[in-house]
Amino acid sequence: MKSGIRKSESKIWMAFLVTVSLAIVFRIAYVNIVKYPTSAACTHALNETAAYRSFELTVTGSTVYSADELQELFDMADSAYLDEREIVLSVHVRNTGDEAKRLDVSSFAMEYGYLSGGGINPDLFYSFNPDLSDLTFEPGEEQDILLPYPLLAENPHLILSLYPQKIIMEL
């Protein structure tokens, strides 16, 4: 008699687990498809302006340096934080907002096809921008800055944002 009760209990538990599993799957699908759908990528060519938060950014050029060239350029004794090759982007920035805003360049990243090349080289950033102590821009203020990144492969792209819209700057 005990075996009959255990079979019905196991059927109830199995039905409960299947119901809970389906509810979880449907909730995940709902969140991913309805609430937060995949956004289209917005790609900007070289010298084309992209809107990013309350800024306009334009990549106006790029230069590739070897670690040796950078050591000579900045009279560096230690190249431990330098990659074999670095790409330095010339970027024109303008605050289009009504109040002073800080531009967070640490959230930008390089992308090489499906590979991520990581973030900005902070040591080189201040070497290339010695007069820049803060990236706070007053309303309407414009400035050219240099952004150094490791160059890991050919045809890199600068990624400004991934969500809610992926903003890609081609170089």
Side-chain angles (χ1 to χ4, degrees), residues 104-162:
D104 181 16
V105 295
S106 66
S107 64
F108 300 166
M110 291 301 277
E111 183 179 80
Y112 309 93
Y114 292 105
L115 298 174
S116 174
I120 195 166
N121 185 326
D123 297 315
L124 282 179
F125 177 77
Y126 289 108
S127 295
F128 276 104
N129 301 286
D131 298 331
L132 190 63
S133 61
D134 188 15
L135 282 173
T136 301
F137 291 82
E138 296 297 322
E141 182 180 355
E142 298 182 41
Q143 189 167 353
D144 292 318
I145 59 175
L146 298 171
L147 302 177
Y149 291 92
L151 183 61
L152 305 177
E154 298 304 316
N155 301 321
H157 305 290
L158 179 64
I159 306 300
L160 301 181
S161 172
L162 291 174

Side-chain angles (χ1 to χ4, degrees), residues 59-97:
V59 176
T60 58
S62 63
T63 307
V64 176
Y65 293 95
S66 70
D68 293 336
E69 290 173 322
L70 289 170
Q71 278 185 299
E72 288 178 27
L73 185 63
F74 296 115
D75 194 28
M76 299 174 170
D78 185 20
S79 66
Y81 60 89
L82 294 176
D83 284 286
E84 190 175 309
R85 294 186 311 160
E86 301 274 345
I87 185 168
V88 179
L89 308 178
S90 302
V91 180
H92 183 77
V93 180
R94 185 168 79 88
N95 182 353
T96 58

